[in-house]
Amino acid sequence: MRKQKFLTLVPTLLVLLWPHVGQAGGRPAMRVFSRQADKQATTADVSPSAKWEKEIQAFEEADKITPPPEGGVLFIGSSSTRLWETLAQDFPDQQVINRGFGGSQIADSVYFADRIVIPYRPKLIVLQVGGNDIAAGKTPPQVFADFKAFVKTVRAKLPRTRIAFLSINPSPVRWERNSEKEMEANRLIAKYIRSGKNLDYIDLWKQFLGPDGKPREDLFRSDRLHNNAAGYKIRADVVRPHLGPTKG
C-alpha cells in the first residue's frame, strides 16, 4: 500500500520540485532541451532550395572575377540550361549569362533571385525549368503558381525586364509518366503569359516530337533526358527570334 501511495505522489513531487532543481544541476538539462528545440526549429526553417548553396556561391565568385554586363540576356533554369555549353556561340550578337544549376525547380530560382537574377539587371530573362518540378511530384497548378511567384519576385525589383518562359520539353525518359502533366503546366503558363504584359512564351514541345508524336530519340543524350548537340541547335533556332535587339 505504501509503495502504491508513493508512486501516485511521484508526478506531483516532480511538478513541485522542478522549478528548484536548477541548484542540483537541473538547469543544464533544461538548457540541453532548449538547445535541441532551437536546433529543430532552425532545421525546420531551412528551405529545400538551400541545397544549391554551393552552386550559387560559385556563380557569385565568378561574378567577382568577371562581372556580367547589365542589360544582357539571362538564361536561368535547371540542367538543360546548365548544359547549354554553346550558349554564347549560338547567340554571338547578345550578352548572354548562363545561370542554370543542377536539377533545380522554379521555386529554387525564386529563392535565389536576389543573388543570381536581380544583380544582373537583364533586359530579358529566359526561364527554362518545370520538368523537374513535375518529376518530383508537383501538380501543373503548383508549377504554374511557382512561375507566377517568379514573375512577382522579378517584377518587384526589375519592373521593365521581360520574362520569357522556355516551355517544358518532352523527353523519352519521362514521356510515359509525365507528358500529360508537362503539357498541362505549359498550357497554364502560356495562357497566363498571353494575358500578361512584357511576358513571352517560347514553345519547344512540338519541336522535339517525331512523326509518331513521341520525343525524337536522336535529339537526346544516352540518358534520354538531356539534349545532345542536335537538340541544342533546335533550342537555339527556336529561342533566337525572341531575344530582341542585339548588343551594341
Side-chain angles (χ1 to χ4, degrees):
M1 291 292 291
R2 290 181 179 177
K3 184 176 181 181
Q4 292 177 347
K5 187 175 181 179
F6 174 75
L7 290 175
T8 39
L9 287 174
V10 167
T12 303
L13 290 170
L14 286 174
V15 171
L16 292 172
L17 291 174
W18 182 253
H20 307 287
V21 174
Q23 296 177 357
R27 289 194 184 278
M30 292 178 70
R31 285 198 295 271
V32 170
F33 294 145
S34 177
R35 286 196 296 270
Q36 290 175 342
D38 291 343
K39 183 177 180 181
Q40 290 174 352
T42 301
T43 302
D45 291 341
V46 173
S47 167
S49 298
K51 65 183 176 182
W52 303 114
E53 180 63 30
K54 288 184 178 180
E55 283 81 354
I56 304 306
Q57 288 181 1
F59 290 144
E60 292 174 326
E61 290 302 315
D63 292 342
K64 291 177 183 178
I65 298 172
T66 308
E70 290 187 4
V73 179
L74 172 64
F75 286 77
I76 186 170
S78 57
S79 52
S80 291
T81 297
R82 178 177 62 84
L83 295 171
W84 198 335
E85 298 174 351
T86 60
L87 194 64
Q89 298 159 266
D90 290 335
F91 310 113
D93 295 329
Q94 300 287 344
Q95 297 279 8
V96 297
I97 307 168
N98 189 326
R99 288 297 175 264
F101 53 107
S104 64
Q105 301 180 26
I106 298 176
D108 299 318
S109 292
V110 176
Y111 184 81
F112 289 112
D114 283 336
R115 296 168 64 183
I116 59 168
V117 177
I118 307 303
Y120 307 138
R121 305 187 67 82
K123 68 175 183 180
L124 170 66
I125 298 170
V126 180
L127 177 69
Q128 207 280 304
V129 71
N132 291 329
D133 306 54
I134 297 294
K138 286 189 174 180
T139 65
Q142 287 174 320
V143 175
F144 174 44
D146 286 344
F147 175 73
K148 288 193 293 184
F150 179 81
V151 173
K152 182 178 180 181
T153 300
V154 173
R155 289 279 185 265
K157 301 285 183 67
L158 303 173
R160 296 183 180 181
T161 294
R162 188 157 59 99
I163 300 172
F165 181 75
L166 186 54
S167 76
I168 303 172
N169 64 269
S171 63
V173 74
R174 291 175 173 173
W175 179 254
E176 295 297 333
R177 182 176 180 180
N178 294 335
S179 61
E180 293 295 329
K181 295 177 182 178
E182 290 173 341
M183 284 190 289
E184 177 62 10
N186 281 340
R187 187 190 68 79
L188 291 172
I189 293 173
K191 182 179 179 181
Y192 171 76
I193 286 175
R194 284 195 298 270
S195 63
K197 294 181 179 180
N198 213 15
L199 298 172
D200 195 5
Y201 182 80
I202 306 176
D203 187 10
L204 275 181
W205 190 267
K206 295 179 182 178
Q207 306 296 327
F208 287 96
L209 298 180
D212 60 354
K214 295 182 178 180
R216 289 174 52 185
E217 296 276 357
D218 62 309
L219 299 178
F220 294 85
R221 301 183 182 191
S222 59
D223 62 8
R224 305 177 73 231
L225 176 62
H226 299 102
N227 286 135
N228 56 22
Y232 276 108
K233 183 180 184 307
I234 290 177
R235 284 179 181 271
D237 290 341
V238 172
V239 169
R240 193 171 290 110
H242 296 266
L243 299 188
T246 61
K247 64 184 179 182

